[in-house]
Every structure is written in C-alpha cells, then in structure tokens.
mmCIF file of all heavy atoms in Angstrom:
data_model
loop_
_atom_site.group_PDB
_atom_site.id
_atom_site.type_symbol
_atom_site.label_atom_id
_atom_site.label_comp_id
_atom_site.label_asym_id
_atom_site.label_seq_id
_atom_site.Cartn_x
_atom_site.Cartn_y
_atom_site.Cartn_z
ATOM 1 N N MET A 1 -1.767 5.715 -4.698
ATOM 2 C CA MET A 1 -3.117 5.162 -4.688
ATOM 3 C C MET A 1 -3.300 4.221 -5.857
ATOM 4 O O MET A 1 -3.960 3.158 -5.708
ATOM 5 C CB MET A 1 -4.144 6.281 -4.735
ATOM 6 C CG MET A 1 -4.202 7.144 -3.508
ATOM 7 S SD MET A 1 -4.661 6.222 -2.014
ATOM 8 C CE MET A 1 -6.333 5.744 -2.403
ATOM 9 N N GLU A 2 -2.761 4.524 -7.027
ATOM 10 C CA GLU A 2 -2.873 3.640 -8.179
ATOM 11 C C GLU A 2 -2.115 2.310 -7.911
ATOM 12 O O GLU A 2 -2.619 1.239 -8.246
ATOM 13 C CB GLU A 2 -2.295 4.320 -9.417
ATOM 14 C CG GLU A 2 -3.200 5.414 -9.948
ATOM 15 C CD GLU A 2 -2.559 6.242 -11.062
ATOM 16 O OE1 GLU A 2 -1.428 5.951 -11.483
ATOM 17 O OE2 GLU A 2 -3.205 7.197 -11.509
ATOM 18 N N MET A 3 -0.938 2.421 -7.286
ATOM 19 C CA MET A 3 -0.166 1.205 -6.972
ATOM 20 C C MET A 3 -0.916 0.364 -5.952
ATOM 21 O O MET A 3 -0.983 -0.892 -6.091
ATOM 22 C CB MET A 3 1.197 1.567 -6.422
ATOM 23 C CG MET A 3 2.184 2.023 -7.454
ATOM 24 S SD MET A 3 3.849 2.180 -6.797
ATOM 25 C CE MET A 3 3.791 3.826 -6.126
ATOM 26 N N LEU A 4 -1.511 1.019 -4.973
ATOM 27 C CA LEU A 4 -2.255 0.283 -3.937
ATOM 28 C C LEU A 4 -3.454 -0.437 -4.552
ATOM 29 O O LEU A 4 -3.701 -1.628 -4.277
ATOM 30 C CB LEU A 4 -2.768 1.282 -2.867
ATOM 31 C CG LEU A 4 -3.601 0.676 -1.723
ATOM 32 C CD1 LEU A 4 -2.791 -0.393 -0.977
ATOM 33 C CD2 LEU A 4 -4.071 1.779 -0.788
ATOM 34 N N SER A 5 -4.149 0.221 -5.448
ATOM 35 C CA SER A 5 -5.285 -0.403 -6.099
ATOM 36 C C SER A 5 -4.851 -1.607 -6.944
ATOM 37 O O SER A 5 -5.483 -2.662 -6.897
ATOM 38 C CB SER A 5 -5.985 0.630 -6.974
ATOM 39 O OG SER A 5 -7.059 0.042 -7.669
ATOM 40 N N ALA A 6 -3.748 -1.470 -7.651
ATOM 41 C CA ALA A 6 -3.242 -2.549 -8.496
ATOM 42 C C ALA A 6 -2.839 -3.742 -7.634
ATOM 43 O O ALA A 6 -3.144 -4.901 -7.968
ATOM 44 C CB ALA A 6 -2.057 -2.073 -9.323
ATOM 45 N N GLU A 7 -2.162 -3.489 -6.506
ATOM 46 C CA GLU A 7 -1.743 -4.587 -5.644
ATOM 47 C C GLU A 7 -2.916 -5.302 -5.008
ATOM 48 O O GLU A 7 -2.916 -6.514 -4.912
ATOM 49 C CB GLU A 7 -0.803 -4.061 -4.550
ATOM 50 C CG GLU A 7 0.525 -3.524 -5.072
ATOM 51 C CD GLU A 7 1.451 -4.602 -5.641
ATOM 52 O OE1 GLU A 7 1.043 -5.240 -6.636
ATOM 53 O OE2 GLU A 7 2.518 -4.797 -5.078
ATOM 54 N N LYS A 8 -3.926 -4.571 -4.620
ATOM 55 C CA LYS A 8 -5.128 -5.210 -4.053
ATOM 56 C C LYS A 8 -5.831 -6.047 -5.099
ATOM 57 O O LYS A 8 -6.345 -7.143 -4.798
ATOM 58 C CB LYS A 8 -6.071 -4.152 -3.480
ATOM 59 C CG LYS A 8 -5.558 -3.562 -2.164
ATOM 60 C CD LYS A 8 -6.540 -2.556 -1.609
ATOM 61 C CE LYS A 8 -6.113 -2.048 -0.251
ATOM 62 N NZ LYS A 8 -7.085 -1.103 0.325
ATOM 63 N N ASN A 9 -5.871 -5.588 -6.318
ATOM 64 C CA ASN A 9 -6.494 -6.354 -7.424
ATOM 65 C C ASN A 9 -5.676 -7.641 -7.705
ATOM 66 O O ASN A 9 -6.239 -8.696 -8.000
ATOM 67 C CB ASN A 9 -6.604 -5.539 -8.691
ATOM 68 C CG ASN A 9 -7.639 -4.464 -8.577
ATOM 69 O OD1 ASN A 9 -8.563 -4.544 -7.750
ATOM 70 N ND2 ASN A 9 -7.518 -3.393 -9.340
ATOM 71 N N ARG A 10 -4.343 -7.558 -7.620
ATOM 72 C CA ARG A 10 -3.488 -8.704 -7.871
ATOM 73 C C ARG A 10 -3.619 -9.788 -6.822
ATOM 74 O O ARG A 10 -3.433 -10.967 -7.077
ATOM 75 C CB ARG A 10 -2.017 -8.245 -7.901
ATOM 76 C CG ARG A 10 -1.457 -8.099 -9.270
ATOM 77 C CD ARG A 10 0.022 -7.752 -9.196
ATOM 78 N NE ARG A 10 0.202 -6.674 -10.174
ATOM 79 C CZ ARG A 10 0.444 -5.425 -9.893
ATOM 80 N NH1 ARG A 10 0.596 -5.013 -8.670
ATOM 81 N NH2 ARG A 10 0.542 -4.550 -10.855
ATOM 82 N N ARG A 11 -3.914 -9.350 -5.618
ATOM 83 C CA ARG A 11 -3.931 -10.267 -4.491
ATOM 84 C C ARG A 11 -4.851 -11.463 -4.698
ATOM 85 O O ARG A 11 -4.551 -12.581 -4.279
ATOM 86 C CB ARG A 11 -4.331 -9.542 -3.201
ATOM 87 C CG ARG A 11 -4.060 -10.390 -1.988
ATOM 88 C CD ARG A 11 -4.389 -9.665 -0.711
ATOM 89 N NE ARG A 11 -3.929 -10.372 0.452
ATOM 90 C CZ ARG A 11 -4.294 -11.601 0.784
ATOM 91 N NH1 ARG A 11 -5.098 -12.296 0.041
ATOM 92 N NH2 ARG A 11 -3.806 -12.188 1.862
ATOM 93 N N SER A 12 -5.980 -11.256 -5.337
ATOM 94 C CA SER A 12 -6.962 -12.347 -5.512
ATOM 95 C C SER A 12 -6.468 -13.469 -6.386
ATOM 96 O O SER A 12 -6.961 -14.583 -6.325
ATOM 97 C CB SER A 12 -8.261 -11.780 -6.026
ATOM 98 O OG SER A 12 -8.071 -11.246 -7.333
ATOM 99 N N SER A 13 -5.459 -13.223 -7.217
ATOM 100 C CA SER A 13 -5.003 -14.256 -8.143
ATOM 101 C C SER A 13 -3.689 -14.916 -7.701
ATOM 102 O O SER A 13 -3.140 -15.728 -8.422
ATOM 103 C CB SER A 13 -4.790 -13.626 -9.534
ATOM 104 O OG SER A 13 -3.759 -12.657 -9.479
ATOM 105 N N LEU A 14 -3.228 -14.664 -6.473
ATOM 106 C CA LEU A 14 -1.968 -15.225 -6.015
ATOM 107 C C LEU A 14 -2.169 -16.496 -5.221
ATOM 108 O O LEU A 14 -3.189 -16.685 -4.597
ATOM 109 C CB LEU A 14 -1.222 -14.181 -5.159
ATOM 110 C CG LEU A 14 -0.811 -12.936 -5.897
ATOM 111 C CD1 LEU A 14 -0.122 -11.966 -4.917
ATOM 112 C CD2 LEU A 14 0.144 -13.246 -7.036
ATOM 113 N N ARG A 15 -1.108 -17.315 -5.161
ATOM 114 C CA ARG A 15 -1.143 -18.565 -4.436
ATOM 115 C C ARG A 15 0.047 -18.663 -3.495
ATOM 116 O O ARG A 15 0.993 -17.879 -3.620
ATOM 117 C CB ARG A 15 -1.137 -19.738 -5.364
ATOM 118 C CG ARG A 15 -2.342 -19.779 -6.269
ATOM 119 C CD ARG A 15 -2.269 -20.943 -7.169
ATOM 120 N NE ARG A 15 -3.356 -20.810 -8.157
ATOM 121 C CZ ARG A 15 -3.594 -21.643 -9.100
ATOM 122 N NH1 ARG A 15 -2.837 -22.711 -9.243
ATOM 123 N NH2 ARG A 15 -4.560 -21.471 -9.912
ATOM 124 N N ALA A 16 0.021 -19.647 -2.642
ATOM 125 C CA ALA A 16 1.127 -19.984 -1.746
ATOM 126 C C ALA A 16 1.532 -18.812 -0.874
ATOM 127 O O ALA A 16 0.671 -18.169 -0.270
ATOM 128 C CB ALA A 16 2.316 -20.537 -2.538
ATOM 129 N N LYS A 17 2.848 -18.505 -0.833
ATOM 130 C CA LYS A 17 3.326 -17.446 0.056
ATOM 131 C C LYS A 17 3.262 -16.042 -0.525
ATOM 132 O O LYS A 17 3.514 -15.076 0.156
ATOM 133 C CB LYS A 17 4.790 -17.763 0.440
ATOM 134 C CG LYS A 17 4.894 -18.983 1.323
ATOM 135 C CD LYS A 17 6.305 -19.163 1.779
ATOM 136 C CE LYS A 17 6.399 -20.392 2.675
ATOM 137 N NZ LYS A 17 7.726 -20.536 3.240
ATOM 138 N N MET A 18 2.965 -15.956 -1.788
ATOM 139 C CA MET A 18 2.948 -14.643 -2.432
ATOM 140 C C MET A 18 1.997 -13.644 -1.765
ATOM 141 O O MET A 18 2.318 -12.477 -1.668
ATOM 142 C CB MET A 18 2.655 -14.785 -3.934
ATOM 143 C CG MET A 18 3.790 -15.386 -4.704
ATOM 144 S SD MET A 18 5.396 -14.543 -4.448
ATOM 145 C CE MET A 18 5.057 -12.945 -5.094
ATOM 146 N N PRO A 19 0.811 -14.074 -1.314
ATOM 147 C CA PRO A 19 -0.085 -13.087 -0.687
ATOM 148 C C PRO A 19 0.559 -12.404 0.534
ATOM 149 O O PRO A 19 0.309 -11.235 0.797
ATOM 150 C CB PRO A 19 -1.319 -13.903 -0.268
ATOM 151 C CG PRO A 19 -1.350 -15.019 -1.252
ATOM 152 C CD PRO A 19 0.112 -15.334 -1.502
ATOM 153 N N GLN A 20 1.419 -13.141 1.271
ATOM 154 C CA GLN A 20 2.109 -12.542 2.424
ATOM 155 C C GLN A 20 3.031 -11.394 1.970
ATOM 156 O O GLN A 20 3.081 -10.361 2.608
ATOM 157 C CB GLN A 20 2.908 -13.613 3.161
ATOM 158 C CG GLN A 20 2.060 -14.694 3.758
ATOM 159 C CD GLN A 20 2.889 -15.840 4.287
ATOM 160 O OE1 GLN A 20 4.108 -15.892 4.070
ATOM 161 N NE2 GLN A 20 2.243 -16.779 4.942
ATOM 162 N N HIS A 21 3.737 -11.623 0.883
ATOM 163 C CA HIS A 21 4.614 -10.580 0.338
ATOM 164 C C HIS A 21 3.784 -9.375 -0.094
ATOM 165 O O HIS A 21 4.161 -8.240 0.156
ATOM 166 C CB HIS A 21 5.464 -11.109 -0.814
ATOM 167 C CG HIS A 21 6.408 -12.175 -0.407
ATOM 168 N ND1 HIS A 21 7.596 -11.931 0.268
ATOM 169 C CD2 HIS A 21 6.385 -13.518 -0.567
ATOM 170 C CE1 HIS A 21 8.208 -13.053 0.509
ATOM 171 N NE2 HIS A 21 7.499 -14.042 -0.019
ATOM 172 N N LEU A 22 2.727 -9.671 -0.753
ATOM 173 C CA LEU A 22 1.854 -8.611 -1.288
ATOM 174 C C LEU A 22 1.210 -7.835 -0.126
ATOM 175 O O LEU A 22 1.103 -6.611 -0.196
ATOM 176 C CB LEU A 22 0.775 -9.195 -2.186
ATOM 177 C CG LEU A 22 0.102 -8.243 -3.143
ATOM 178 C CD1 LEU A 22 1.098 -7.538 -4.020
ATOM 179 C CD2 LEU A 22 -0.912 -8.970 -3.989
ATOM 180 N N ASP A 23 0.829 -8.558 0.922
ATOM 181 C CA ASP A 23 0.232 -7.901 2.090
ATOM 182 C C ASP A 23 1.210 -6.912 2.720
ATOM 183 O O ASP A 23 0.829 -5.797 3.135
ATOM 184 C CB ASP A 23 -0.226 -8.902 3.153
ATOM 185 C CG ASP A 23 -1.463 -9.674 2.710
ATOM 186 O OD1 ASP A 23 -2.173 -9.203 1.779
ATOM 187 O OD2 ASP A 23 -1.724 -10.728 3.292
ATOM 188 N N ARG A 24 2.480 -7.271 2.777
ATOM 189 C CA ARG A 24 3.484 -6.358 3.312
ATOM 190 C C ARG A 24 3.639 -5.126 2.453
ATOM 191 O O ARG A 24 3.780 -4.027 2.944
ATOM 192 C CB ARG A 24 4.828 -7.066 3.464
ATOM 193 C CG ARG A 24 4.878 -8.027 4.645
ATOM 194 C CD ARG A 24 6.310 -8.410 4.994
ATOM 195 N NE ARG A 24 7.032 -9.024 3.907
ATOM 196 C CZ ARG A 24 7.111 -10.331 3.671
ATOM 197 N NH1 ARG A 24 6.517 -11.175 4.470
ATOM 198 N NH2 ARG A 24 7.825 -10.804 2.654
ATOM 199 N N HIS A 25 3.591 -5.318 1.142
ATOM 200 C CA HIS A 25 3.684 -4.172 0.219
ATOM 201 C C HIS A 25 2.453 -3.305 0.368
ATOM 202 O O HIS A 25 2.568 -2.064 0.359
ATOM 203 C CB HIS A 25 3.888 -4.650 -1.207
ATOM 204 C CG HIS A 25 4.249 -3.546 -2.130
ATOM 205 N ND1 HIS A 25 3.615 -3.375 -3.347
ATOM 206 C CD2 HIS A 25 5.108 -2.519 -2.023
ATOM 207 C CE1 HIS A 25 4.137 -2.299 -3.922
ATOM 208 N NE2 HIS A 25 5.023 -1.772 -3.146
ATOM 209 N N ILE A 26 1.292 -3.881 0.470
ATOM 210 C CA ILE A 26 0.049 -3.113 0.629
ATOM 211 C C ILE A 26 0.120 -2.298 1.913
ATOM 212 O O ILE A 26 -0.213 -1.131 1.920
ATOM 213 C CB ILE A 26 -1.171 -4.061 0.609
ATOM 214 C CG1 ILE A 26 -1.421 -4.563 -0.825
ATOM 215 C CG2 ILE A 26 -2.427 -3.343 1.154
ATOM 216 C CD1 ILE A 26 -2.480 -5.664 -0.929
ATOM 217 N N GLN A 27 0.574 -2.925 2.966
ATOM 218 C CA GLN A 27 0.703 -2.213 4.257
ATOM 219 C C GLN A 27 1.677 -1.039 4.132
ATOM 220 O O GLN A 27 1.434 0.057 4.623
ATOM 221 C CB GLN A 27 1.185 -3.171 5.359
ATOM 222 C CG GLN A 27 1.279 -2.510 6.714
ATOM 223 C CD GLN A 27 1.772 -3.494 7.780
ATOM 224 O OE1 GLN A 27 2.061 -4.655 7.527
ATOM 225 N NE2 GLN A 27 1.836 -3.015 9.020
ATOM 226 N N TRP A 28 2.826 -1.277 3.456
ATOM 227 C CA TRP A 28 3.778 -0.223 3.263
ATOM 228 C C TRP A 28 3.167 0.941 2.460
ATOM 229 O O TRP A 28 3.353 2.119 2.806
ATOM 230 C CB TRP A 28 5.016 -0.736 2.535
ATOM 231 C CG TRP A 28 6.054 0.323 2.303
ATOM 232 C CD1 TRP A 28 7.009 0.744 3.182
ATOM 233 C CD2 TRP A 28 6.222 1.107 1.121
ATOM 234 N NE1 TRP A 28 7.761 1.741 2.600
ATOM 235 C CE2 TRP A 28 7.298 1.990 1.338
ATOM 236 C CE3 TRP A 28 5.558 1.137 -0.125
ATOM 237 C CZ2 TRP A 28 7.724 2.878 0.378
ATOM 238 C CZ3 TRP A 28 6.004 2.068 -1.071
ATOM 239 C CH2 TRP A 28 7.072 2.907 -0.800
ATOM 240 N N LEU A 29 2.456 0.631 1.379
ATOM 241 C CA LEU A 29 1.814 1.668 0.575
ATOM 242 C C LEU A 29 0.817 2.461 1.416
ATOM 243 O O LEU A 29 0.770 3.703 1.321
ATOM 244 C CB LEU A 29 1.116 1.038 -0.618
ATOM 245 C CG LEU A 29 2.013 0.553 -1.755
ATOM 246 C CD1 LEU A 29 1.210 -0.294 -2.731
ATOM 247 C CD2 LEU A 29 2.665 1.703 -2.462
ATOM 248 N N GLU A 30 0.016 1.804 2.235
ATOM 249 C CA GLU A 30 -0.973 2.486 3.077
ATOM 250 C C GLU A 30 -0.282 3.408 4.061
ATOM 251 O O GLU A 30 -0.730 4.533 4.297
ATOM 252 C CB GLU A 30 -1.842 1.471 3.805
ATOM 253 C CG GLU A 30 -2.805 0.745 2.857
ATOM 254 C CD GLU A 30 -3.549 -0.385 3.502
ATOM 255 O OE1 GLU A 30 -3.124 -0.907 4.550
ATOM 256 O OE2 GLU A 30 -4.594 -0.764 2.917
ATOM 257 N N GLU A 31 0.834 2.967 4.638
ATOM 258 C CA GLU A 31 1.626 3.821 5.572
ATOM 259 C C GLU A 31 2.186 5.041 4.850
ATOM 260 O O GLU A 31 2.158 6.147 5.380
ATOM 261 C CB GLU A 31 2.699 3.001 6.221
ATOM 262 C CG GLU A 31 2.203 1.975 7.210
ATOM 263 C CD GLU A 31 3.276 1.017 7.701
ATOM 264 O OE1 GLU A 31 4.466 1.187 7.348
ATOM 265 O OE2 GLU A 31 2.932 0.067 8.422
ATOM 266 N N GLU A 32 2.695 4.847 3.675
ATOM 267 C CA GLU A 32 3.232 5.947 2.886
ATOM 268 C C GLU A 32 2.138 6.980 2.538
ATOM 269 O O GLU A 32 2.375 8.199 2.585
ATOM 270 C CB GLU A 32 3.902 5.452 1.603
ATOM 271 C CG GLU A 32 5.236 4.738 1.822
ATOM 272 C CD GLU A 32 6.269 5.669 2.415
ATOM 273 O OE1 GLU A 32 6.550 6.726 1.808
ATOM 274 O OE2 GLU A 32 6.836 5.321 3.465
ATOM 275 N N ILE A 33 0.979 6.464 2.173
ATOM 276 C CA ILE A 33 -0.113 7.379 1.850
ATOM 277 C C ILE A 33 -0.535 8.172 3.086
ATOM 278 O O ILE A 33 -0.764 9.391 3.003
ATOM 279 C CB ILE A 33 -1.311 6.597 1.265
ATOM 280 C CG1 ILE A 33 -0.937 6.056 -0.113
ATOM 281 C CG2 ILE A 33 -2.576 7.446 1.179
ATOM 282 C CD1 ILE A 33 -1.884 5.015 -0.684
ATOM 283 N N ARG A 34 -0.610 7.501 4.252
ATOM 284 C CA ARG A 34 -0.958 8.224 5.476
ATOM 285 C C ARG A 34 0.064 9.329 5.779
ATOM 286 O O ARG A 34 -0.273 10.439 6.133
ATOM 287 C CB ARG A 34 -1.086 7.269 6.659
ATOM 288 C CG ARG A 34 -2.408 6.614 6.782
ATOM 289 C CD ARG A 34 -2.547 5.917 8.122
ATOM 290 N NE ARG A 34 -1.695 4.736 8.237
ATOM 291 C CZ ARG A 34 -1.969 3.529 7.777
ATOM 292 N NH1 ARG A 34 -3.117 3.300 7.169
ATOM 293 N NH2 ARG A 34 -1.140 2.526 7.937
ATOM 294 N N ALA A 35 1.353 8.972 5.690
ATOM 295 C CA ALA A 35 2.417 9.956 5.932
ATOM 296 C C ALA A 35 2.349 11.124 4.949
ATOM 297 O O ALA A 35 2.520 12.270 5.334
ATOM 298 C CB ALA A 35 3.784 9.273 5.873
ATOM 299 N N LEU A 36 2.099 10.776 3.711
ATOM 300 C CA LEU A 36 1.980 11.846 2.690
ATOM 301 C C LEU A 36 0.783 12.725 2.941
ATOM 302 O O LEU A 36 0.841 13.957 2.759
ATOM 303 C CB LEU A 36 1.916 11.205 1.316
ATOM 304 C CG LEU A 36 2.128 12.079 0.112
ATOM 305 C CD1 LEU A 36 3.442 12.869 0.211
ATOM 306 C CD2 LEU A 36 2.117 11.271 -1.144
ATOM 307 N N ASP A 37 -0.336 12.129 3.373
ATOM 308 C CA ASP A 37 -1.535 12.932 3.712
ATOM 309 C C ASP A 37 -1.223 13.931 4.829
ATOM 310 O O ASP A 37 -1.669 15.095 4.779
ATOM 311 C CB ASP A 37 -2.688 12.029 4.136
ATOM 312 C CG ASP A 37 -3.360 11.369 2.955
ATOM 313 O OD1 ASP A 37 -3.170 11.829 1.819
ATOM 314 O OD2 ASP A 37 -4.107 10.394 3.208
ATOM 315 N N GLU A 38 -0.463 13.483 5.845
ATOM 316 C CA GLU A 38 -0.101 14.386 6.930
ATOM 317 C C GLU A 38 0.780 15.530 6.416
ATOM 318 O O GLU A 38 0.583 16.692 6.810
ATOM 319 C CB GLU A 38 0.618 13.592 8.017
ATOM 320 C CG GLU A 38 -0.262 12.667 8.807
ATOM 321 C CD GLU A 38 0.498 11.822 9.806
ATOM 322 O OE1 GLU A 38 1.673 12.126 10.099
ATOM 323 O OE2 GLU A 38 -0.083 10.818 10.273
ATOM 324 N N GLU A 39 1.739 15.200 5.563
ATOM 325 C CA GLU A 39 2.612 16.235 5.021
ATOM 326 C C GLU A 39 1.833 17.198 4.170
ATOM 327 O O GLU A 39 2.045 18.437 4.239
ATOM 328 C CB GLU A 39 3.722 15.567 4.201
ATOM 329 C CG GLU A 39 4.754 16.570 3.704
ATOM 330 C CD GLU A 39 5.864 15.872 2.935
ATOM 331 O OE1 GLU A 39 6.052 14.648 3.070
ATOM 332 O OE2 GLU A 39 6.593 16.589 2.247
ATOM 333 N N ILE A 40 0.920 16.723 3.355
ATOM 334 C CA ILE A 40 0.086 17.591 2.506
ATOM 335 C C ILE A 40 -0.748 18.504 3.389
ATOM 336 O O ILE A 40 -0.885 19.710 3.119
ATOM 337 C CB ILE A 40 -0.778 16.749 1.576
ATOM 338 C CG1 ILE A 40 0.069 16.062 0.504
ATOM 339 C CG2 ILE A 40 -1.875 17.606 0.920
ATOM 340 C CD1 ILE A 40 -0.621 15.017 -0.306
ATOM 341 N N GLU A 41 -1.317 17.960 4.477
ATOM 342 C CA GLU A 41 -2.151 18.754 5.376
ATOM 343 C C GLU A 41 -1.303 19.872 6.032
ATOM 344 O O GLU A 41 -1.741 21.023 6.105
ATOM 345 C CB GLU A 41 -2.733 17.862 6.466
ATOM 346 C CG GLU A 41 -3.558 18.579 7.491
ATOM 347 C CD GLU A 41 -4.859 19.141 6.952
ATOM 348 O OE1 GLU A 41 -5.332 18.658 5.916
ATOM 349 O OE2 GLU A 41 -5.382 20.118 7.546
ATOM 350 N N GLN A 42 -0.086 19.572 6.428
ATOM 351 C CA GLN A 42 0.795 20.577 7.032
ATOM 352 C C GLN A 42 1.114 21.683 6.017
ATOM 353 O O GLN A 42 1.128 22.854 6.356
ATOM 354 C CB GLN A 42 2.051 19.933 7.563
ATOM 355 C CG GLN A 42 1.856 19.082 8.782
ATOM 356 C CD GLN A 42 3.091 18.305 9.162
ATOM 357 O OE1 GLN A 42 4.129 18.415 8.503
ATOM 358 N NE2 GLN A 42 3.015 17.530 10.230
ATOM 359 N N LEU A 43 1.426 21.291 4.803
ATOM 360 C CA LEU A 43 1.755 22.275 3.768
ATOM 361 C C LEU A 43 0.549 23.122 3.455
ATOM 362 O O LEU A 43 0.689 24.339 3.244
ATOM 363 C CB LEU A 43 2.250 21.555 2.507
ATOM 364 C CG LEU A 43 3.619 20.904 2.588
ATOM 365 C CD1 LEU A 43 3.870 20.032 1.377
ATOM 366 C CD2 LEU A 43 4.696 21.923 2.749
ATOM 367 N N ALA A 44 -0.646 22.546 3.406
ATOM 368 C CA ALA A 44 -1.844 23.295 3.094
ATOM 369 C C ALA A 44 -2.123 24.287 4.256
ATOM 370 O O ALA A 44 -2.564 25.444 3.985
ATOM 371 C CB ALA A 44 -3.023 22.354 2.923
ATOM 372 N N GLN A 45 -1.915 23.892 5.480
ATOM 373 C CA GLN A 45 -2.144 24.776 6.613
ATOM 374 C C GLN A 45 -1.161 25.922 6.623
ATOM 375 O O GLN A 45 -1.478 27.021 7.147
ATOM 376 C CB GLN A 45 -2.094 24.006 7.932
ATOM 377 C CG GLN A 45 -3.291 23.129 8.134
ATOM 378 C CD GLN A 45 -3.241 22.379 9.447
ATOM 379 O OE1 GLN A 45 -2.340 22.566 10.246
ATOM 380 N NE2 GLN A 45 -4.211 21.513 9.657
#
C-alpha cells in the first residue's frame, strides 16, 4: 500500500512515456494487493 501510494504520487510529475511504465507498475501493485487480501481472508477464516 505504501509503494502504491508513492507511485501514484510520482505519476503527476512524469513526462513522455514514463507514465505508461508507472501505470503498469501501479496495476501490478493493485493486483498483488487484491491477491494478498484474498489470502489474508482465507487465513482468517
């Protein structure tokens, strides 16, 4: 979550093709968080 927040904050200051790279990383982080949430839910249950 901290990495995701940092990447989203960085996005506003990027130019050219860099936002595309950052968007892919943000998407990956969001997917990892979703997967981890599912795993945490299973462990809690």
Side-chain angles (χ1 to χ4, degrees):
M1 291 299 294
E2 289 172 1
M3 284 189 275
L4 179 61
S5 178
E7 294 292 63
K8 285 182 175 182
N9 289 337
R10 258 185 224 108
R11 192 178 190 300
S12 64
S13 65
L14 297 178
R15 297 180 188 180
K17 293 186 178 184
M18 288 307 297
Q20 295 170 354
H21 296 284
L22 199 57
D23 287 342
R24 285 196 303 266
H25 190 227
I26 288 171
Q27 182 180 2
W28 180 83
L29 287 167
E30 290 172 340
E31 289 170 6
E32 287 296 305
I33 291 167
R34 275 191 292 277
L36 195 53
D37 283 344
E38 290 175 14
E39 186 177 344
I40 290 168
E41 179 68 23
Q42 290 173 358
L43 290 171
Q45 287 181 4

